Amino acid sequence: MTELFEPVDLYDHRVAEADGSGLAAYNVAGVLTAGDLQIARRIATICDETEPEVVLALALTVRAVRDGSVCLDLEHVADMAPDLTWPEPGRWRESVASSRIAVEGAVVVDEGLVYLDRYHRLELAVCADLDVRARRTPPKVDESALAAALDRAFPSAGAPGAGTRDYAEQRRAAERAARSWTTVLTGGPGTGKTTTVAGLICVLADQARDGRRLSVALAAPTGKAAARLQESVLEEARDARFSDEDRRRLRDMDAVTLHRLLGWRPDNATRFRHDRGNRLKYDLIVVDESSMVELTMMARLLEATRPDCRLVLVGDPYQLTSVGAGAVLGDLVRGYQAHVSSPVVTLETSHRFGDEIGALARAVREDRVDEVVERLRSGVPAIEFVEDAAPEAFLRDLVLTSAREVRAAAERGDTEAALEALDRHRLLCAHREGPYGVTHWNRAAEAWLAEEAGSDHWPLWYAGRPLIVTSNDYAVGVYNGETGVVVRRDDGVLRAKISGSEGVRDLATTRLVDVDTMHALTVHKSQGSQVDEVTVLLPPWDSRLLSRELFYTAITRARRVVRVVGSEETVRSAVRRRVQRASGLAARLAHEAETPVGSS
């Protein structure tokens, strides 16, 4: 199983010295951190639990959540360290199920999986809310108005406004969404997901009755993803196929983060103003980049969404999953496979890329590793494979060229040009730290800039410093994932220009706290964005962060050119290794498909 977080020094000598139960061996082997064991011991003490194998299961469950899983599957635990002694899974499961920590409600054993109580309740809530929505009578539609709106928003090839493009896939998806309370719209980059969303908004607006205006919310997990969604909808609004009224509707759309949609509360990090007792008012809620939505946030979204509001979850299940626990979009796709009336609609045909990048992405996604290597070495203009090069020697010119363009525009006070230059090239890394991490390459870029300027010191704030916001700051009005650049005003004062769904915000640099330099960016942080050229720096083949999902996400950030720096061994390792997250949601959804309406 690949892990989501950075490798750390897992061995804490204090655990070994203080432990008398034998559990320290799992810490020494790197299976558990000191923190995992300390949390487990604290809970066990509160519950008066003394059985070592039960405490071990609890510590492993804590670790599982830290690594992005919702629960722990005891059947496969031994695979992590086959040389260690492990309890027999069946007996171990029974011991945990009958233990004091289970009796006291700290953990739950359900369908053979071990959950921390909170995540068990969240998973049940998500499944129950989706089931309620699935069992409702489908929304009524005016068939003649629907047909006319579909013809307008998704014209046949050759029709006025359509050109040569075929909208058949998007039309079918929008029609399904118009007839459903819940839709899971999936597809790779460039398959027309935003085209479908824009058309769906116009189609449903025509269904509004009695002079009512369709109330729509567009949302995404991060500020950058929300800004990108809004930009994409505005781009669609300029399409010739839409009427003037359609364009007005689409231009009026504002995309926000999920935190803003649900109503952030300063007194509670996991609860919001909108919940089951104070539902959102909207007729249609569209959530883009849903692969990034963790279980907790999905539960909060569903409880705040009225059952008679159409909910459209948009995303690519092959991308990296959420930073928090859960892989909800992938669970929905797998769980609904057994449903006769599945809400999952998949767009297959890519319109964004040339054949080269799209074909490479499909080969990665479908585990055709020999083809991936062949396409990387094909020599086509859109793909470059830099094998076994010294990364610093190769990356210096690329990074400096981009940094110079941004800096030149920022020094002359041209914010628009600086932001445009920022999105021409991006260096993506798997790691945050180490020789293949963004911290190293951000420092290297600034050292190179200082060297060019003949300085041995580079300040924290400088014209052309590329920025990424790392957490929501509601007081300032900047949100996680938004990007920007430091620009020099005519009077010489440095200002931070942050680009988001609300436009470009002009802020004093002293008001920004949670921001990082962005000459290089982690692949995780790049989700929800697109740039002209992407350079992917792959870590060594045995990196625990290397995975197919990470590689696929990285190369699909590119609009025109993708450059991969690494070895064939690393590429093969990336394509073959999947991110695996334990969850019971897919199985629960599949079971619901077998349960007739009215059954308990």
Side-chain angles (χ1 to χ4, degrees):
M1 182 171 82
T2 63
E3 297 176 1
L4 181 63
F5 299 105
E6 292 282 346
V8 295
D9 183 5
L10 301 179
Y11 178 47
D12 186 329
H13 290 270
R14 291 170 297 178
V15 173
E17 292 166 0
D19 187 87
S21 64
L23 297 183
Y26 301 92
N27 172 237
V28 173
V31 173
L32 296 171
T33 65
D36 297 333
L37 283 171
Q38 287 163 359
I39 292 170
R41 284 195 182 115
R42 180 60 179 160
I43 295 173
T45 299
I46 293 171
C47 297
D48 198 26
E49 178 61 64
T50 59
E51 184 62 41
E53 67 179 30
V54 172
V55 180
L56 174 60
L58 177 57
L60 289 166
T61 307
V62 171
R63 173 225 159 99
V65 171
R66 175 172 58 81
D67 284 347
S69 289
V70 175
C71 54
L72 176 70
D73 185 351
L74 295 177
E75 290 287 344
H76 302 291
V77 164
D79 296 340
M80 291 189 291
D83 294 338
L84 292 176
T85 300
W86 297 96
E88 190 280 319
R91 181 184 58 78
W92 195 8
R93 192 179 302 111
E94 292 174 3
S95 297
V96 176
S98 60
S99 67
R100 291 293 304 169
I101 59 171
V103 171
E104 295 295 333
V107 301
V108 176
V109 179
D110 187 4
E111 299 294 332
L113 302 172
V114 182
Y115 294 81
L116 297 179
D117 175 65
R118 175 174 181 266
Y119 291 93
H120 184 251
R121 286 186 282 109
L122 287 169
E123 187 172 279
L124 291 179
V126 166
C127 189
D129 283 335
L130 288 171
D131 186 50
V132 167
R133 298 178 62 81
R135 291 170 184 269
R136 284 183 59 84
T137 302
K140 295 179 180 179
V141 297
D142 181 325
E143 295 295 343
S144 60
L146 177 62
L150 288 169
D151 286 342
R152 184 177 77 249
F154 305 101
S156 302
T164 59
R165 182 165 178 178
D166 183 2
Y167 290 95
E169 281 187 338
Q170 291 79 17
R171 178 187 176 113
R172 286 193 294 270
E175 182 174 6
R176 287 271 299 276
R179 299 182 186 279
S180 308
W181 296 116
T182 306
T183 302
V184 181
L185 178 63
T186 71
T191 53
K193 297 188 293 293
T194 307
T195 299
T196 304
V197 168
L200 175 64
I201 291 170
C202 298
V203 166
L204 292 181
D206 283 8
Q207 293 289 316
R209 294 181 174 84
D210 303 322
R212 288 184 65 253
R213 183 180 179 182
L214 183 75
S215 180
V216 182
L218 301 179
T222 68
K224 185 63 176 179
R228 177 60 189 157
L229 172 60
Q230 184 163 325
E231 290 168 6
S232 298
V233 170
L234 290 176
E235 288 173 11
E236 287 293 328
R238 292 191 284 269
D239 197 285
R241 72 185 191 278
F242 288 120
S243 68
D244 290 342
E245 180 63 17
D246 290 333
R247 294 191 187 94
R248 184 192 62 76
R249 290 183 185 120
L250 295 175
R251 284 196 299 266
D252 287 345
M253 296 289 103
D254 290 325
V256 298
T257 64
L258 282 171
H259 282 81
R260 289 186 65 200
L261 175 69
L262 296 175
W264 173 77
R265 285 172 47 179
D267 62 326
N268 195 315
T270 61
R271 287 287 180 180
F272 300 91
R273 287 190 294 105
H274 291 287
D275 54 21
R276 213 172 293 280
N278 180 30
R279 306 237 192 192
L280 293 161
K281 64 180 180 180
Y282 301 101
D283 304 310
L284 169 66
I285 296 175
V286 178
V287 181
D288 198 15
E289 298 292 346
S290 292
S291 65
M292 300 167 65
V293 180
E294 63 192 54
L295 180 65
T296 299
M297 182 59 78
M298 187 62 74
R300 301 297 176 242
L301 171 66
L302 287 169
E303 72 178 15
T305 302
R306 299 193 330 262
D308 60 346
C309 165
R310 288 180 176 87
L311 176 64
V312 181
L313 302 175
V314 184
D316 185 345
Y318 298 100
Q319 285 189 24
L320 281 169
T321 50
S322 61
V323 173
V328 180
L329 183 66
D331 285 342
L332 297 185
V333 172
R334 288 188 297 274
Y336 281 128
Q337 286 177 341
H339 286 233
V340 175
S341 55
S342 170
V344 178
V345 184
T346 302
L347 303 176
E348 300 285 356
T349 306
S350 177
H351 304 279
R352 175 179 298 163
F353 298 121
D355 290 336
E356 296 89 355
I357 296 179
L360 174 63
R362 286 191 294 274
V364 170
R365 187 180 70 198
E366 296 169 9
D367 191 19
R368 301 197 302 269
V369 66
D370 290 336
E371 181 183 340
V372 171
V373 174
E374 180 182 339
R375 289 189 176 278
L376 285 173
R377 290 174 172 162
S378 63
V380 297
I383 299 171
E384 184 178 355
F385 188 23
V386 184
E387 297 185 71
D388 302 318
E392 184 160 330
F394 177 77
L395 294 177
R396 178 179 175 124
D397 285 344
L398 279 174
V399 173
L400 268 179
T401 298
S402 177
R404 287 191 203 105
E405 291 180 359
V406 176
R407 183 164 167 74
E411 283 284 11
R412 65 176 184 265
D414 191 336
T415 299
E416 183 178 354
L419 291 172
E420 287 179 358
L422 192 64
D423 282 344
R424 290 196 190 110
H425 176 262
R426 190 121 323 139
L427 171 60
L428 299 183
C429 306
H431 291 258
R432 288 189 296 270
E433 305 295 337
Y436 294 86
V438 295
T439 300
H440 170 82
W441 292 103
N442 280 323
R443 288 173 180 164
E446 291 179 339
W448 296 331
L449 287 170
E451 182 182 327
E452 283 197 340
S455 171
D456 58 0
H457 171 71
W458 200 247
L460 174 63
W461 293 100
Y462 55 91
R465 181 188 177 191
L467 301 172
I468 182 165
V469 179
T470 57
S471 67
N472 296 329
D473 188 334
Y474 296 92
V476 177
V478 296
Y479 302 96
N480 180 34
E482 291 182 339
T483 58
V485 66
V486 177
V487 173
R488 192 182 301 280
R489 287 193 324 206
D490 291 342
D491 60 5
V493 174
L494 296 177
R495 302 287 291 184
K497 307 288 188 171
I498 305 297
S499 177
S501 59
E502 297 178 350
V504 178
R505 288 182 292 289
D506 181 350
L507 300 166
T509 58
T510 53
R511 298 194 68 191
L512 293 174
V513 178
D514 295 322
V515 293
D516 283 340
T517 303
M518 197 187 65
H519 292 291
L521 189 65
T522 63
V523 178
H524 264 98
K525 285 288 186 180
S526 74
Q527 285 184 271
S529 65
Q530 290 280 318
V531 295
D532 291 339
E533 297 187 13
V534 164
T535 300
V536 184
L537 177 60
L538 292 177
W541 69 270
D542 57 350
S543 166
R544 291 192 292 175
L545 296 183
L546 195 61
S547 69
R548 184 186 307 170
E549 290 83 357
L550 180 134
F551 192 35
Y552 175 83
T553 301
I555 63 177
T556 54
R557 299 309 90 204
R559 293 191 188 100
R560 296 192 299 106
V561 175
V562 63
R563 209 173 279 108
V564 176
V565 182
S567 66
E568 178 182 339
E569 182 182 31
T570 299
V571 168
R572 289 182 178 277
S573 179
V575 175
R576 286 171 176 157
R577 192 182 304 168
R578 298 293 308 276
V579 172
Q580 299 174 11
R581 290 190 168 187
S583 164
L585 182 58
R588 294 183 198 281
L589 293 172
H591 175 72
E592 293 294 343
E594 301 169 358
T595 306
V597 175
S599 301
S600 57

